[in-house]
Amino acid sequence: MEKNVEIVRESVDAVNRDDIEEVLAFTDADAELHSAIIGGAEGNIYRGHDGFRKWFAESTASFEQLDTELTEFRTVDDRVIAFGRIYARGRESGLELDSETGWVFTVRGDKIVKAEGFLSRAEALEAAGLRE
């Protein structure tokens, strides 16, 4: 499952470099993105490549900085559970966010088919049906 971890790493690196087209190269055309901080309060789910582009545009509009640093990875079947930190600075407010983050990525056939973001390790583990 190391290949799936590498797909996740490279896609997150592409997000951090603001390269949405590279992100889409790692993403299935029908993939879902559940963002923890963009549209999260409203429960928005971004679907397909157009949805990922919309998320990217909303992220860019909301934040002058948005970086995810994932430092720990676990694999369970076709899922990669990743943990780290998210750093953000609001474009208008200047408010800064430095939070733990957890993600559950489902990878099939060299493509991410689902990405679910959380603002805590515990929430990501719970979503994946795991415990510490």
mmCIF file with all atom_site columns, all heavy atoms in Angstrom, residues 27-52:
data_model
loop_
_atom_site.group_PDB
_atom_site.id
_atom_site.type_symbol
_atom_site.label_atom_id
_atom_site.label_alt_id
_atom_site.label_comp_id
_atom_site.label_asym_id
_atom_site.label_entity_id
_atom_site.label_seq_id
_atom_site.pdbx_PDB_ins_code
_atom_site.Cartn_x
_atom_site.Cartn_y
_atom_site.Cartn_z
_atom_site.occupancy
_atom_site.B_iso_or_equiv
_atom_site.pdbx_formal_charge
_atom_site.auth_seq_id
_atom_site.auth_comp_id
_atom_site.auth_asym_id
_atom_site.auth_atom_id
_atom_site.pdbx_PDB_model_num
ATOM 1   N N   . THR A 1 27 ? -6.560  12.384 -9.097  1.00 0.00 ? 27 THR A N   1
ATOM 2   C CA  . THR A 1 27 ? -7.938  12.333 -8.631  1.00 0.00 ? 27 THR A CA  1
ATOM 3   C C   . THR A 1 27 ? -8.853  11.721 -9.681  1.00 0.00 ? 27 THR A C   1
ATOM 4   O O   . THR A 1 27 ? -8.832  12.127 -10.844 1.00 0.00 ? 27 THR A O   1
ATOM 5   C CB  . THR A 1 27 ? -8.422  13.766 -8.311  1.00 0.00 ? 27 THR A CB  1
ATOM 6   O OG1 . THR A 1 27 ? -7.495  14.374 -7.405  1.00 0.00 ? 27 THR A OG1 1
ATOM 7   C CG2 . THR A 1 27 ? -9.781  13.750 -7.662  1.00 0.00 ? 27 THR A CG2 1
ATOM 8   N N   . ASP A 1 28 ? -9.681  10.784 -9.274  1.00 0.00 ? 28 ASP A N   1
ATOM 9   C CA  . ASP A 1 28 ? -10.667 10.192 -10.161 1.00 0.00 ? 28 ASP A CA  1
ATOM 10  C C   . ASP A 1 28 ? -11.664 11.259 -10.618 1.00 0.00 ? 28 ASP A C   1
ATOM 11  O O   . ASP A 1 28 ? -11.993 12.174 -9.859  1.00 0.00 ? 28 ASP A O   1
ATOM 12  C CB  . ASP A 1 28 ? -11.409 9.073  -9.421  1.00 0.00 ? 28 ASP A CB  1
ATOM 13  C CG  . ASP A 1 28 ? -12.344 8.319  -10.311 1.00 0.00 ? 28 ASP A CG  1
ATOM 14  O OD1 . ASP A 1 28 ? -11.870 7.432  -11.045 1.00 0.00 ? 28 ASP A OD1 1
ATOM 15  O OD2 . ASP A 1 28 ? -13.562 8.619  -10.283 1.00 0.00 ? 28 ASP A OD2 1
ATOM 16  N N   . ALA A 1 29 ? -12.146 11.141 -11.830 1.00 0.00 ? 29 ALA A N   1
ATOM 17  C CA  . ALA A 1 29 ? -13.077 12.134 -12.401 1.00 0.00 ? 29 ALA A CA  1
ATOM 18  C C   . ALA A 1 29 ? -14.359 12.265 -11.581 1.00 0.00 ? 29 ALA A C   1
ATOM 19  O O   . ALA A 1 29 ? -15.014 13.311 -11.617 1.00 0.00 ? 29 ALA A O   1
ATOM 20  C CB  . ALA A 1 29 ? -13.408 11.775 -13.843 1.00 0.00 ? 29 ALA A CB  1
ATOM 21  N N   . ASP A 1 30 ? -14.720 11.230 -10.811 1.00 0.00 ? 30 ASP A N   1
ATOM 22  C CA  . ASP A 1 30 ? -15.942 11.270 -9.996  1.00 0.00 ? 30 ASP A CA  1
ATOM 23  C C   . ASP A 1 30 ? -15.640 11.353 -8.490  1.00 0.00 ? 30 ASP A C   1
ATOM 24  O O   . ASP A 1 30 ? -16.511 11.061 -7.674  1.00 0.00 ? 30 ASP A O   1
ATOM 25  C CB  . ASP A 1 30 ? -16.787 10.026 -10.273 1.00 0.00 ? 30 ASP A CB  1
ATOM 26  C CG  . ASP A 1 30 ? -17.275 9.972  -11.710 1.00 0.00 ? 30 ASP A CG  1
ATOM 27  O OD1 . ASP A 1 30 ? -17.659 11.035 -12.243 1.00 0.00 ? 30 ASP A OD1 1
ATOM 28  O OD2 . ASP A 1 30 ? -17.266 8.871  -12.299 1.00 0.00 ? 30 ASP A OD2 1
ATOM 29  N N   . ALA A 1 31 ? -14.438 11.743 -8.136  1.00 0.00 ? 31 ALA A N   1
ATOM 30  C CA  . ALA A 1 31 ? -14.021 11.772 -6.728  1.00 0.00 ? 31 ALA A CA  1
ATOM 31  C C   . ALA A 1 31 ? -14.845 12.755 -5.913  1.00 0.00 ? 31 ALA A C   1
ATOM 32  O O   . ALA A 1 31 ? -15.442 13.695 -6.435  1.00 0.00 ? 31 ALA A O   1
ATOM 33  C CB  . ALA A 1 31 ? -12.544 12.134 -6.632  1.00 0.00 ? 31 ALA A CB  1
ATOM 34  N N   . GLU A 1 32 ? -14.842 12.525 -4.597  1.00 0.00 ? 32 GLU A N   1
ATOM 35  C CA  . GLU A 1 32 ? -15.495 13.421 -3.641  1.00 0.00 ? 32 GLU A CA  1
ATOM 36  C C   . GLU A 1 32 ? -14.450 14.007 -2.701  1.00 0.00 ? 32 GLU A C   1
ATOM 37  O O   . GLU A 1 32 ? -13.527 13.307 -2.282  1.00 0.00 ? 32 GLU A O   1
ATOM 38  C CB  . GLU A 1 32 ? -16.505 12.669 -2.771  1.00 0.00 ? 32 GLU A CB  1
ATOM 39  C CG  . GLU A 1 32 ? -17.743 12.254 -3.453  1.00 0.00 ? 32 GLU A CG  1
ATOM 40  C CD  . GLU A 1 32 ? -18.741 11.633 -2.479  1.00 0.00 ? 32 GLU A CD  1
ATOM 41  O OE1 . GLU A 1 32 ? -18.477 11.565 -1.248  1.00 0.00 ? 32 GLU A OE1 1
ATOM 42  O OE2 . GLU A 1 32 ? -19.796 11.204 -2.959  1.00 0.00 ? 32 GLU A OE2 1
ATOM 43  N N   . LEU A 1 33 ? -14.650 15.281 -2.358  1.00 0.00 ? 33 LEU A N   1
ATOM 44  C CA  . LEU A 1 33 ? -13.805 15.963 -1.380  1.00 0.00 ? 33 LEU A CA  1
ATOM 45  C C   . LEU A 1 33 ? -14.691 16.526 -0.288  1.00 0.00 ? 33 LEU A C   1
ATOM 46  O O   . LEU A 1 33 ? -15.633 17.284 -0.567  1.00 0.00 ? 33 LEU A O   1
ATOM 47  C CB  . LEU A 1 33 ? -13.018 17.097 -2.041  1.00 0.00 ? 33 LEU A CB  1
ATOM 48  C CG  . LEU A 1 33 ? -12.269 18.047 -1.108  1.00 0.00 ? 33 LEU A CG  1
ATOM 49  C CD1 . LEU A 1 33 ? -11.190 17.320 -0.315  1.00 0.00 ? 33 LEU A CD1 1
ATOM 50  C CD2 . LEU A 1 33 ? -11.654 19.194 -1.903  1.00 0.00 ? 33 LEU A CD2 1
ATOM 51  N N   . HIS A 1 34 ? -14.424 16.130 0.940   1.00 0.00 ? 34 HIS A N   1
ATOM 52  C CA  . HIS A 1 34 ? -15.108 16.650 2.120   1.00 0.00 ? 34 HIS A CA  1
ATOM 53  C C   . HIS A 1 34 ? -14.076 17.486 2.875   1.00 0.00 ? 34 HIS A C   1
ATOM 54  O O   . HIS A 1 34 ? -13.215 16.939 3.544   1.00 0.00 ? 34 HIS A O   1
ATOM 55  C CB  . HIS A 1 34 ? -15.604 15.515 3.012   1.00 0.00 ? 34 HIS A CB  1
ATOM 56  C CG  . HIS A 1 34 ? -16.519 14.550 2.314   1.00 0.00 ? 34 HIS A CG  1
ATOM 57  N ND1 . HIS A 1 34 ? -17.844 14.457 2.636   1.00 0.00 ? 34 HIS A ND1 1
ATOM 58  C CD2 . HIS A 1 34 ? -16.293 13.664 1.315   1.00 0.00 ? 34 HIS A CD2 1
ATOM 59  C CE1 . HIS A 1 34 ? -18.410 13.533 1.863   1.00 0.00 ? 34 HIS A CE1 1
ATOM 60  N NE2 . HIS A 1 34 ? -17.479 13.037 1.056   1.00 0.00 ? 34 HIS A NE2 1
ATOM 61  N N   . SER A 1 35 ? -14.159 18.799 2.745   1.00 0.00 ? 35 SER A N   1
ATOM 62  C CA  . SER A 1 35 ? -13.159 19.686 3.331   1.00 0.00 ? 35 SER A CA  1
ATOM 63  C C   . SER A 1 35 ? -13.507 20.023 4.772   1.00 0.00 ? 35 SER A C   1
ATOM 64  O O   . SER A 1 35 ? -14.673 20.273 5.089   1.00 0.00 ? 35 SER A O   1
ATOM 65  C CB  . SER A 1 35 ? -13.068 20.970 2.502   1.00 0.00 ? 35 SER A CB  1
ATOM 66  O OG  . SER A 1 35 ? -12.170 21.872 3.098   1.00 0.00 ? 35 SER A OG  1
ATOM 67  N N   . ALA A 1 36 ? -12.480 20.069 5.614   1.00 0.00 ? 36 ALA A N   1
ATOM 68  C CA  . ALA A 1 36 ? -12.691 20.401 7.024   1.00 0.00 ? 36 ALA A CA  1
ATOM 69  C C   . ALA A 1 36 ? -12.877 21.903 7.246   1.00 0.00 ? 36 ALA A C   1
ATOM 70  O O   . ALA A 1 36 ? -13.496 22.306 8.219   1.00 0.00 ? 36 ALA A O   1
ATOM 71  C CB  . ALA A 1 36 ? -11.524 19.900 7.868   1.00 0.00 ? 36 ALA A CB  1
ATOM 72  N N   . ILE A 1 37 ? -12.338 22.749 6.346   1.00 0.00 ? 37 ILE A N   1
ATOM 73  C CA  . ILE A 1 37 ? -12.423 24.189 6.614   1.00 0.00 ? 37 ILE A CA  1
ATOM 74  C C   . ILE A 1 37 ? -13.043 25.002 5.486   1.00 0.00 ? 37 ILE A C   1
ATOM 75  O O   . ILE A 1 37 ? -13.445 26.124 5.718   1.00 0.00 ? 37 ILE A O   1
ATOM 76  C CB  . ILE A 1 37 ? -11.057 24.793 6.999   1.00 0.00 ? 37 ILE A CB  1
ATOM 77  C CG1 . ILE A 1 37 ? -10.056 24.659 5.863   1.00 0.00 ? 37 ILE A CG1 1
ATOM 78  C CG2 . ILE A 1 37 ? -10.524 24.187 8.282   1.00 0.00 ? 37 ILE A CG2 1
ATOM 79  C CD1 . ILE A 1 37 ? -8.774  25.430 6.108   1.00 0.00 ? 37 ILE A CD1 1
ATOM 80  N N   . ILE A 1 38 ? -13.134 24.466 4.294   1.00 0.00 ? 38 ILE A N   1
ATOM 81  C CA  . ILE A 1 38 ? -13.787 25.187 3.201   1.00 0.00 ? 38 ILE A CA  1
ATOM 82  C C   . ILE A 1 38 ? -15.132 24.528 2.976   1.00 0.00 ? 38 ILE A C   1
ATOM 83  O O   . ILE A 1 38 ? -15.205 23.363 2.601   1.00 0.00 ? 38 ILE A O   1
ATOM 84  C CB  . ILE A 1 38 ? -12.955 25.129 1.890   1.00 0.00 ? 38 ILE A CB  1
ATOM 85  C CG1 . ILE A 1 38 ? -11.591 25.738 2.087   1.00 0.00 ? 38 ILE A CG1 1
ATOM 86  C CG2 . ILE A 1 38 ? -13.692 25.795 0.735   1.00 0.00 ? 38 ILE A CG2 1
ATOM 87  C CD1 . ILE A 1 38 ? -11.609 27.224 2.370   1.00 0.00 ? 38 ILE A CD1 1
ATOM 88  N N   . GLY A 1 39 ? -16.199 25.278 3.231   1.00 0.00 ? 39 GLY A N   1
ATOM 89  C CA  . GLY A 1 39 ? -17.527 24.728 3.057   1.00 0.00 ? 39 GLY A CA  1
ATOM 90  C C   . GLY A 1 39 ? -17.887 23.689 4.093   1.00 0.00 ? 39 GLY A C   1
ATOM 91  O O   . GLY A 1 39 ? -18.952 23.108 4.043   1.00 0.00 ? 39 GLY A O   1
ATOM 92  N N   . GLY A 1 40 ? -16.983 23.447 5.044   1.00 0.00 ? 40 GLY A N   1
ATOM 93  C CA  . GLY A 1 40 ? -17.201 22.394 6.032   1.00 0.00 ? 40 GLY A CA  1
ATOM 94  C C   . GLY A 1 40 ? -18.394 22.633 6.928   1.00 0.00 ? 40 GLY A C   1
ATOM 95  O O   . GLY A 1 40 ? -19.159 21.720 7.198   1.00 0.00 ? 40 GLY A O   1
ATOM 96  N N   . ALA A 1 41 ? -18.587 23.861 7.377   1.00 0.00 ? 41 ALA A N   1
ATOM 97  C CA  . ALA A 1 41 ? -19.692 24.156 8.282   1.00 0.00 ? 41 ALA A CA  1
ATOM 98  C C   . ALA A 1 41 ? -21.028 23.916 7.595   1.00 0.00 ? 41 ALA A C   1
ATOM 99  O O   . ALA A 1 41 ? -22.004 23.524 8.227   1.00 0.00 ? 41 ALA A O   1
ATOM 100 C CB  . ALA A 1 41 ? -19.603 25.593 8.784   1.00 0.00 ? 41 ALA A CB  1
ATOM 101 N N   . GLU A 1 42 ? -21.065 24.143 6.285   1.00 0.00 ? 42 GLU A N   1
ATOM 102 C CA  . GLU A 1 42 ? -22.298 23.939 5.537   1.00 0.00 ? 42 GLU A CA  1
ATOM 103 C C   . GLU A 1 42 ? -22.435 22.495 5.072   1.00 0.00 ? 42 GLU A C   1
ATOM 104 O O   . GLU A 1 42 ? -23.431 22.130 4.468   1.00 0.00 ? 42 GLU A O   1
ATOM 105 C CB  . GLU A 1 42 ? -22.349 24.866 4.309   1.00 0.00 ? 42 GLU A CB  1
ATOM 106 C CG  . GLU A 1 42 ? -22.354 26.340 4.637   1.00 0.00 ? 42 GLU A CG  1
ATOM 107 C CD  . GLU A 1 42 ? -20.956 26.880 4.920   1.00 0.00 ? 42 GLU A CD  1
ATOM 108 O OE1 . GLU A 1 42 ? -19.966 26.311 4.422   1.00 0.00 ? 42 GLU A OE1 1
ATOM 109 O OE2 . GLU A 1 42 ? -20.865 27.857 5.658   1.00 0.00 ? 42 GLU A OE2 1
ATOM 110 N N   . GLY A 1 43 ? -21.410 21.701 5.317   1.00 0.00 ? 43 GLY A N   1
ATOM 111 C CA  . GLY A 1 43 ? -21.447 20.320 4.905   1.00 0.00 ? 43 GLY A CA  1
ATOM 112 C C   . GLY A 1 43 ? -21.270 20.125 3.412   1.00 0.00 ? 43 GLY A C   1
ATOM 113 O O   . GLY A 1 43 ? -21.747 19.146 2.845   1.00 0.00 ? 43 GLY A O   1
ATOM 114 N N   . ASN A 1 44 ? -20.605 21.065 2.757   1.00 0.00 ? 44 ASN A N   1
ATOM 115 C CA  . ASN A 1 44 ? -20.397 20.943 1.315   1.00 0.00 ? 44 ASN A CA  1
ATOM 116 C C   . ASN A 1 44 ? -19.546 19.738 0.979   1.00 0.00 ? 44 ASN A C   1
ATOM 117 O O   . ASN A 1 44 ? -18.551 19.462 1.632   1.00 0.00 ? 44 ASN A O   1
ATOM 118 C CB  . ASN A 1 44 ? -19.710 22.191 0.757   1.00 0.00 ? 44 ASN A CB  1
ATOM 119 C CG  . ASN A 1 44 ? -20.628 23.385 0.691   1.00 0.00 ? 44 ASN A CG  1
ATOM 120 O OD1 . ASN A 1 44 ? -21.835 23.263 0.847   1.00 0.00 ? 44 ASN A OD1 1
ATOM 121 N ND2 . ASN A 1 44 ? -20.067 24.541 0.456   1.00 0.00 ? 44 ASN A ND2 1
ATOM 122 N N   . ILE A 1 45 ? -19.968 19.057 -0.065  1.00 0.00 ? 45 ILE A N   1
ATOM 123 C CA  . ILE A 1 45 ? -19.179 17.978 -0.635  1.00 0.00 ? 45 ILE A CA  1
ATOM 124 C C   . ILE A 1 45 ? -18.868 18.409 -2.057  1.00 0.00 ? 45 ILE A C   1
ATOM 125 O O   . ILE A 1 45 ? -19.759 18.784 -2.816  1.00 0.00 ? 45 ILE A O   1
ATOM 126 C CB  . ILE A 1 45 ? -19.942 16.648 -0.630  1.00 0.00 ? 45 ILE A CB  1
ATOM 127 C CG1 . ILE A 1 45 ? -20.283 16.243 0.801   1.00 0.00 ? 45 ILE A CG1 1
ATOM 128 C CG2 . ILE A 1 45 ? -19.118 15.564 -1.322  1.00 0.00 ? 45 ILE A CG2 1
ATOM 129 C CD1 . ILE A 1 45 ? -21.198 15.037 0.893   1.00 0.00 ? 45 ILE A CD1 1
ATOM 130 N N   . TYR A 1 46 ? -17.598 18.391 -2.393  1.00 0.00 ? 46 TYR A N   1
ATOM 131 C CA  . TYR A 1 46 ? -17.155 18.785 -3.728  1.00 0.00 ? 46 TYR A CA  1
ATOM 132 C C   . TYR A 1 46 ? -16.993 17.511 -4.549  1.00 0.00 ? 46 TYR A C   1
ATOM 133 O O   . TYR A 1 46 ? -16.273 16.605 -4.142  1.00 0.00 ? 46 TYR A O   1
ATOM 134 C CB  . TYR A 1 46 ? -15.845 19.561 -3.638  1.00 0.00 ? 46 TYR A CB  1
ATOM 135 C CG  . TYR A 1 46 ? -15.990 20.820 -2.831  1.00 0.00 ? 46 TYR A CG  1
ATOM 136 C CD1 . TYR A 1 46 ? -15.765 20.828 -1.453  1.00 0.00 ? 46 TYR A CD1 1
ATOM 137 C CD2 . TYR A 1 46 ? -16.365 22.011 -3.438  1.00 0.00 ? 46 TYR A CD2 1
ATOM 138 C CE1 . TYR A 1 46 ? -15.913 21.989 -0.712  1.00 0.00 ? 46 TYR A CE1 1
ATOM 139 C CE2 . TYR A 1 46 ? -16.506 23.180 -2.701  1.00 0.00 ? 46 TYR A CE2 1
ATOM 140 C CZ  . TYR A 1 46 ? -16.282 23.158 -1.341  1.00 0.00 ? 46 TYR A CZ  1
ATOM 141 O OH  . TYR A 1 46 ? -16.429 24.311 -0.603  1.00 0.00 ? 46 TYR A OH  1
ATOM 142 N N   . ARG A 1 47 ? -17.688 17.447 -5.686  1.00 0.00 ? 47 ARG A N   1
ATOM 143 C CA  . ARG A 1 47 ? -17.707 16.222 -6.488  1.00 0.00 ? 47 ARG A CA  1
ATOM 144 C C   . ARG A 1 47 ? -17.064 16.427 -7.850  1.00 0.00 ? 47 ARG A C   1
ATOM 145 O O   . ARG A 1 47 ? -17.324 17.420 -8.518  1.00 0.00 ? 47 ARG A O   1
ATOM 146 C CB  . ARG A 1 47 ? -19.140 15.748 -6.674  1.00 0.00 ? 47 ARG A CB  1
ATOM 147 C CG  . ARG A 1 47 ? -19.741 15.200 -5.406  1.00 0.00 ? 47 ARG A CG  1
ATOM 148 C CD  . ARG A 1 47 ? -21.121 14.584 -5.652  1.00 0.00 ? 47 ARG A CD  1
ATOM 149 N NE  . ARG A 1 47 ? -21.589 13.884 -4.481  1.00 0.00 ? 47 ARG A NE  1
ATOM 150 C CZ  . ARG A 1 47 ? -22.207 14.455 -3.453  1.00 0.00 ? 47 ARG A CZ  1
ATOM 151 N NH1 . ARG A 1 47 ? -22.422 15.745 -3.464  1.00 0.00 ? 47 ARG A NH1 1
ATOM 152 N NH2 . ARG A 1 47 ? -22.592 13.742 -2.423  1.00 0.00 ? 47 ARG A NH2 1
ATOM 153 N N   . GLY A 1 48 ? -16.259 15.459 -8.241  1.00 0.00 ? 48 GLY A N   1
ATOM 154 C CA  . GLY A 1 48 ? -15.644 15.463 -9.553  1.00 0.00 ? 48 GLY A CA  1
ATOM 155 C C   . GLY A 1 48 ? -14.579 16.533 -9.707  1.00 0.00 ? 48 GLY A C   1
ATOM 156 O O   . GLY A 1 48 ? -14.303 17.303 -8.789  1.00 0.00 ? 48 GLY A O   1
ATOM 157 N N   . HIS A 1 49 ? -13.970 16.571 -10.879 1.00 0.00 ? 49 HIS A N   1
ATOM 158 C CA  . HIS A 1 49 ? -12.911 17.549 -11.127 1.00 0.00 ? 49 HIS A CA  1
ATOM 159 C C   . HIS A 1 49 ? -13.435 18.976 -11.034 1.00 0.00 ? 49 HIS A C   1
ATOM 160 O O   . HIS A 1 49 ? -12.740 19.853 -10.510 1.00 0.00 ? 49 HIS A O   1
ATOM 161 C CB  . HIS A 1 49 ? -12.250 17.291 -12.480 1.00 0.00 ? 49 HIS A CB  1
ATOM 162 C CG  . HIS A 1 49 ? -11.329 16.110 -12.461 1.00 0.00 ? 49 HIS A CG  1
ATOM 163 N ND1 . HIS A 1 49 ? -10.624 15.711 -13.561 1.00 0.00 ? 49 HIS A ND1 1
ATOM 164 C CD2 . HIS A 1 49 ? -10.990 15.237 -11.466 1.00 0.00 ? 49 HIS A CD2 1
ATOM 165 C CE1 . HIS A 1 49 ? -9.885  14.653 -13.254 1.00 0.00 ? 49 HIS A CE1 1
ATOM 166 N NE2 . HIS A 1 49 ? -10.097 14.346 -11.995 1.00 0.00 ? 49 HIS A NE2 1
ATOM 167 N N   . ASP A 1 50 ? -14.669 19.219 -11.479 1.00 0.00 ? 50 ASP A N   1
ATOM 168 C CA  . ASP A 1 50 ? -15.232 20.568 -11.334 1.00 0.00 ? 50 ASP A CA  1
ATOM 169 C C   . ASP A 1 50 ? -15.392 20.941 -9.874  1.00 0.00 ? 50 ASP A C   1
ATOM 170 O O   . ASP A 1 50 ? -15.153 22.089 -9.487  1.00 0.00 ? 50 ASP A O   1
ATOM 171 C CB  . ASP A 1 50 ? -16.570 20.688 -12.068 1.00 0.00 ? 50 ASP A CB  1
ATOM 172 C CG  . ASP A 1 50 ? -16.409 20.721 -13.579 1.00 0.00 ? 50 ASP A CG  1
ATOM 173 O OD1 . ASP A 1 50 ? -15.275 20.969 -14.061 1.00 0.00 ? 50 ASP A OD1 1
ATOM 174 O OD2 . ASP A 1 50 ? -17.418 20.495 -14.276 1.00 0.00 ? 50 ASP A OD2 1
ATOM 175 N N   . GLY A 1 51 ? -15.779 19.985 -9.051  1.00 0.00 ? 51 GLY A N   1
ATOM 176 C CA  . GLY A 1 51 ? -15.900 20.233 -7.618  1.00 0.00 ? 51 GLY A CA  1
ATOM 177 C C   . GLY A 1 51 ? -14.561 20.545 -6.976  1.00 0.00 ? 51 GLY A C   1
ATOM 178 O O   . GLY A 1 51 ? -14.453 21.444 -6.143  1.00 0.00 ? 51 GLY A O   1
ATOM 179 N N   . PHE A 1 52 ? -13.525 19.815 -7.371  1.00 0.00 ? 52 PHE A N   1
ATOM 180 C CA  . PHE A 1 52 ? -12.187 20.080 -6.839  1.00 0.00 ? 52 PHE A CA  1
ATOM 181 C C   . PHE A 1 52 ? -11.716 21.476 -7.259  1.00 0.00 ? 52 PHE A C   1
ATOM 182 O O   . PHE A 1 52 ? -11.111 22.195 -6.467  1.00 0.00 ? 52 PHE A O   1
ATOM 183 C CB  . PHE A 1 52 ? -11.193 19.008 -7.297  1.00 0.00 ? 52 PHE A CB  1
ATOM 184 C CG  . PHE A 1 52 ? -11.173 17.785 -6.424  1.00 0.00 ? 52 PHE A CG  1
ATOM 185 C CD1 . PHE A 1 52 ? -12.272 16.933 -6.373  1.00 0.00 ? 52 PHE A CD1 1
ATOM 186 C CD2 . PHE A 1 52 ? -10.066 17.477 -5.661  1.00 0.00 ? 52 PHE A CD2 1
ATOM 187 C CE1 . PHE A 1 52 ? -12.255 15.798 -5.574  1.00 0.00 ? 52 PHE A CE1 1
ATOM 188 C CE2 . PHE A 1 52 ? -10.035 16.347 -4.862  1.00 0.00 ? 52 PHE A CE2 1
ATOM 189 C CZ  . PHE A 1 52 ? -11.145 15.496 -4.818  1.00 0.00 ? 52 PHE A CZ  1
#
